[in-house]
Each structure stands twice: as structure tokens, then as C-alpha cells.
Amino acid sequence: MEIHGKFEVYLTERSIVKAVHHLPKPQVLALSNLDLLSGRFPVTYFYFFRNPQGVSFPIIIESLKNSLSQTLSYFYPFAGRIVENPHTSEPEIICDNSGALLVEGHANIPLIKLNFYNLDQCLKGKLVSINPDFPLQVQVTTYTCSAVSLTISFDHALGDASAFGKFLLSWSEVAQNKPLSCIPDHRRNLHPRCPPTYHPLLDQLFAKCTIEDILHMPMTNIMLKRLYHVDVSSINRLQHVACENGNKRTKIEAFSAYIWKILVTAIDKKHTKCKMGWLVDGRGRLCGTQSSMSNYIGNVLSLAVGEATVAELKQGSISDIATNVHDAISKVTNEKHFLDLIDWIECHRPGLMLANIVLGRGGPALVLSSGRRFPVSELNFGFGNPVLGTVCSTIEKIGVAYVNQRPSARGDGSWTVSAILWPQLASALESDTIFEPMSESHLQL
């Protein structure tokens, strides 16, 4: 079936969904120090579902509204507003049940004709429309084949990938009338020590910044948004190569080493060094155990940064580079680092703070975010499991290449990888067989 003309989505309805049970009076939720480090970037997760047999689009919409309303009763900050405190000039969440925005859309093509690889073509203004008045917004889009996509956009001040994963899994459980596996913790109780103290190295990794700094990041390249499939056989092969020297390396460490080695071939020849960064979740590092913070809703992220010379990366083996990756990540996967980071932020408040690497300071770099435990195939909102689920961002200004890894909806150990890349880097990654441009052939449509 040939479709003439370009892909369009017609937005037909907008509704505000409020928590069915809400707080008796509005509550002000101050952001933690680590929330202030994550900025206010929009984060979007999207899921595609086959034609739900025997379920009409109006019934899907009504069911989603009902289950979302119940879920917001547990995740009540997600139904609030984020405003600037006039005294501190820092954002805070007003938990007043203003509600989440739900948008209905109708696409002019069948799902099989969607360009899954080129996210620039199908995201902004089509499958994602960001309204700054709503920290949480959902777009439900139906296709001419009756397939459905669900796009959920969060303000990063609400939380990180772990927090959003808990929300989506809870929504899925509510939709299926299952008991909640997560009782969310909204305390945001990551307080600095008295007096605050930190390792001087943090002054090199992070910086206080302004909105102007963010808007004027030193970008020399067009940034493309792409989606890839990485087969489980490729992942296992990379890990095997990374462990050749007898060192035990994770799949992410092996994958990172592979990317870093390719990254260095796609940078300007004037650079003698190249950096890579990794987002690290502190839930298993703070308070002693993972379980004590497993349901914490908010941001508990830091950034590990590794640096190597161009010569080291070109000449080194995947195993050598994976050791560099392992050593860089190990420096921040401990309680002291996160306590120091909380204190560093305290010493630089008020204001915005970001990692220098994200601001594009210090040369070409790439940041990788791993979501190996993020829910994908297990999600079911009442009309079947997704054939694809991943994360993306509509952000237009970023000073670093970005790669997000999530489990494939296949459930076979393969990965779905979304990326923000400059053209030379995209070409270099696609010149090999590991990064397969996402297409309908990778989905069980």
C-alpha cells in the first residue's frame, strides 16, 4: 500500500485528567538538590501497539483516562504544576491536582508505513507536542490500520528514568486491575550534610549555569534523532570480545567501548582527546541498599565521565577500552560520590546546574543512558503489549551526543537504542552491522 504525501497527525481532542483521589489541600514539594541538577528537559517515552482486536479508539481513550486518573492518585505530584519559587528562584512542585494533559491524534498512514528510524520526522508536533503548563502529558494516536501509539512526556523535575518506569508500570497495573508493585515515595529527602563538603573534582565535572548558557551551547553540528535495533547476538559478541583479557565486563561496558572507538573516528582532527559519559543511578548507593530507595520518586542521578586520547582509542582493543569505561563508572558508583554531589549542589545554590559535558564544554563527547530494567514488553494498558517502546527527547539544544538503551519489546535480549547524533557520527555507527536502523521488520506487526 503506497501512501502519497507526507506523514501527518491531526490532533482532535484535549482533555485534562485529574487524580480521582487527591490531597485535601495543595501541598508544595520542594525539589531535592539532585532534582536541580537534572534541569527541566522534557523526557518522552513512546509505545506502539498492534491493532487492538475488537477495541475501538473511543473505548481505548476512556479506559486510559480512567486508569490514568487512578494512577495519579498515587503519583500526585505528576498531576501538579511546576512553578518558580519567588524567594529562591528555584522550581517547586505545587501538588494541587491541576491534572495531566491527554491529547488525541489521528495519523494519516498505517503504522507499518511510519519511519521508525528518523525520529526527527515523526516526533515534534506530530507524536509529541509539549505544553509547558503540564509536567505530564500524554498523546494517544490512532493509525489508519487501527494501531495505536502512546506518547508520555514528563518534565525532568518530576523524576528520572527509574521514577518514570515506576509510574508507567503502576499505570499498566492499574489498567489491568492488578495490585501495585510500587508504593511511591515522594519525600525528596536527599539533604546535604552540615557543613556541606565535597571532592574538588566535582568542580571540573559540574557547573552552575544560566538559561542563557543552555540556550547558547557551543554546537557546531546539526543533531539528528535516530532509532536503532541492536540484536542480542551483537550484544553477546561485544561482551565476549570485551572479556578477552580475563576481565568480567558488563554488556553496557562492552557496548560503550564499541561506541567510544567509533566516536573517535567521527570527530574533527584538531581534537587530541575524546570524552564519554554515563548516567548512574544512586538508589543502590545511598542509604546502604537498593531496596530502601527503590520506590523513591525524583532524580537520583550523577554522571561518570571518562577521557582518553585519540591515539588510545584508535589503537586500543575493545577489551582495553572497556577497562577504561569500567574504571570511569566505578568512580561514581559509591555513596561518598553521591553525598559529595548533593553537598556540591548545596554550595552552588540557587540556580541551575548541569554537567560540563552536557553543556558542550571540553570537546566532543557522547553520553550513554542505560535502562536495562526499564519496563517495555511487560506494559499493558488494556489493549495488548507493545511492539516497540523507547525513550526520546524533543530537546533542540544539547552540547553532547546522546544514546539511550532500552530493552526490545521482543523480550529476547535485543535492545532498542534511541540517539541524538551529529551526521558524521550517525554515518560511522551505521557503517557497521551492529546499529541497525529501526524498521517495521524489527517489530512483530
Side-chain angles (χ1 to χ4, degrees), residues 144-155:
T144 57
C145 60
S146 298
V148 171
S149 64
L150 188 61
T151 314
I152 308 105
S153 298
F154 304 90
D155 189 304

Side-chain angles (χ1 to χ4, degrees), residues 20 41 53 62 70 76 79 156 182 210 287 291 299 336 345 348 443:
V20 64
F41 298 119
Q53 296 296 327
E62 196 59 33
Q70 294 177 59
Y76 57 86
H156 218 318
C182 163
T210 65
C287 304
S291 59
N299 291 280
K336 184 181 184 305
I345 296 166
H348 291 79
L443 314 180

Side-chain angles (χ1 to χ4, degrees), residues 239-380:
Q239 186 178 29
H240 177 75
V241 172
C243 297
E244 279 181 348
N245 288 343
N247 297 314
K248 187 176 181 180
R249 296 292 174 244
T250 66
K251 290 179 172 64
I252 283 296
E253 288 170 344
F255 185 59
S256 297
Y258 169 77
I259 291 176
W260 206 354
K261 194 168 179 64
I262 289 182
L263 170 64
V264 78
T265 68
I267 63 175
D268 195 294
K269 288 182 172 56
K270 68 180 181 182
H271 298 291
T272 59
K273 293 183 177 181
C274 183
K275 291 181 179 179
M276 192 163 175
W278 300 268
L279 289 175
V280 176
D281 189 337
R283 284 171 177 79
R285 283 86 196 183
L286 289 164
C287 304
T289 63
Q290 171 74 26
S291 59
S292 64
M293 286 194 69
S294 61
N295 293 341
Y296 179 92
I297 305 303
N299 291 280
V300 197
L301 293 179
S302 184
L303 191 72
V305 177
E307 184 177 65
T309 66
V310 169
E312 287 170 337
L313 293 168
K314 284 186 175 180
Q315 297 166 14
S317 65
I318 293 293
S319 178
D320 294 334
I321 300 170
T323 296
N324 195 340
V325 173
H326 176 83
D327 292 345
I329 295 174
S330 297
K331 290 177 182 177
V332 306
T333 52
N334 58 79
E335 183 180 40
K336 184 181 184 305
H337 169 80
F338 279 90
L339 292 176
D340 280 8
L341 182 55
I342 291 169
D343 286 1
W344 181 90
I345 296 166
E346 185 67 19
C347 293
H348 291 79
R349 292 176 68 178
L352 296 173
M353 282 149 272
L354 280 175
N356 277 313
I357 191 174
V358 175
L359 287 166
R361 298 170 179 172
L366 180 145
V367 169
L368 186 144
S369 173
S370 168
R372 60 189 176 87
R373 290 188 293 269
F374 196 87
V376 178
S377 59
E378 60 267 47
L379 293 187
N380 186 330

